[in-house]
Amino acid sequence: MGPGEHNGPRGVMWLLIAVVALVGGVATASEIRGALERERAYRAAPVCASVPVKPSPCVWRQRFTVRTADLHRGKRNESPEARLSLPSGKPWRVTFRQTDPVASELGPGDKVVGLIWHGQVVEVRDAEGRRQQTSDGPMGWPEDRLGGTLACGSFGLTGLVGAVWSLFARSNRRHARAAAVVRWHGVGMAVTALLTLWAQSANDWPMWAIPAIWVPLALLGLASMVAFAIAALRGDLDDETPAAPSSAGPVSPPPPAGVPGGAAGSGSGHS
């Protein structure tokens, strides 16, 4: 199988993945503004004067008792959850996006305070004062959307360029290698965006810290991508394989100077 035949299906696969990533990046980018507006509305929400009887834009602090808590460790697509109980006995189920700092410490009988906003428990606070957003909480979503946009967008764009390049240059080994360099640098920039999002969330940095950290690293990645792609086009990344040894047997050394070529080893002598 030649290089062109091998790179064809691979290029199509990369093309499909890049298109999906670009669509995901556009979708997450369109949600950033709405997430910011919802977060700002929650920060500015007043405290309810009385228990709300219907979903309200004010915030009400409600005491709950934990009935059960399940972290769903080792289960895919299962979020940590807890079943709370109102003083009246009415159950209330909440889920969390992660286990720490509150969900992992919950147990049956624990007393917690839930913040209710628009008819949903958006935050849970334990007896020690630790707080954690639930899956319905508005905090942190803008940062997640921004990180997803950077990861999907950077990988989608570079992956698309690399995939189209490889499809149009299937018969040229150097161009195929340069296209692979472009694609894998896109993967690196996407991973960098996810790591930046993780660092921002773990250290509770402001949202602007994500682009402030990622953009310089992405520029370094782009410079590296261009340098390696040029090196691939020049052939600097080609594999240098040693020449195969000849099967004709060892080569006889040349005869010493001054000796006729046919005289050596003739076996003739003087009588």
Side-chain angles (χ1 to χ4, degrees):
M1 179 182 291
E5 297 173 348
H6 182 69
N7 288 328
R10 181 181 297 177
V12 173
M13 179 190 71
W14 276 97
L15 180 63
L16 293 176
I17 296 175
V19 170
V20 172
L22 276 178
V23 172
V26 173
T28 53
S30 64
E31 296 175 355
I32 294 178
R33 182 176 180 179
L36 280 171
E37 292 177 351
R38 189 166 182 262
E39 184 179 280
R40 290 167 183 165
Y42 174 69
R43 291 181 181 275
V47 178
C48 298
S50 60
V51 181
V53 295
K54 61 180 181 179
S56 173
C58 62
V59 177
W60 175 256
R61 296 185 180 184
Q62 178 64 54
R63 294 186 178 275
F64 291 94
T65 301
V66 179
R67 300 178 62 181
T68 60
D70 192 348
L71 300 182
H72 296 298
R73 295 188 186 276
K75 297 181 180 179
R76 293 184 177 181
N77 302 323
E78 291 286 346
S79 300
E81 67 173 354
R83 294 187 180 275
L84 310 179
S85 177
L86 289 168
S88 63
K90 180 181 178 181
W92 202 310
R93 177 178 176 270
V94 296
T95 60
F96 301 90
R97 286 180 283 173
Q98 56 193 18
T99 58
D100 294 321
V102 176
S104 59
E105 303 296 330
L106 295 180
D110 290 345
K111 304 296 183 180
V112 296
V113 174
L115 270 62
I116 301 177
W117 184 58
H118 284 289
Q120 298 173 325
V121 177
V122 297
E123 184 177 305
V124 173
R125 300 178 182 179
D126 62 11
E128 298 181 5
R130 292 173 299 191
R131 59 181 64 184
Q132 182 177 349
Q133 291 278 299
T134 67
S135 300
D136 296 318
M139 306 298 294
W141 286 109
E143 291 83 354
D144 290 347
R145 295 298 184 265
L146 178 58
T149 299
L150 296 178
C152 293
S154 59
F155 168 71
L157 288 174
T158 53
L160 183 63
V161 172
V164 173
W165 191 354
S166 64
L167 289 175
F168 278 94
R170 289 184 296 174
S171 59
N172 191 309
R173 184 178 298 273
R174 292 185 178 180
H175 280 266
R177 192 179 297 274
V181 166
V182 172
R183 295 195 302 263
W184 285 109
H185 272 76
V187 174
M189 285 191 288
V191 172
T192 302
L194 296 178
L195 291 177
T196 303
L197 175 61
W198 173 83
Q200 179 273 334
S201 177
N203 295 279
D204 199 22
W205 292 335
M207 183 176 175
W208 57 262
I210 298 177
I213 297 174
W214 182 80
V215 169
L217 295 176
L219 291 176
L220 290 176
L222 287 174
S224 173
M225 180 184 69
V226 172
F228 275 95
I230 293 176
L233 293 175
R234 291 177 177 175
D236 297 340
L237 303 183
D238 291 346
D239 296 330
E240 296 181 1
T241 56
S246 175
S247 60
V251 180
S252 300
V259 179
S266 63
S268 60
H270 296 283
S271 58

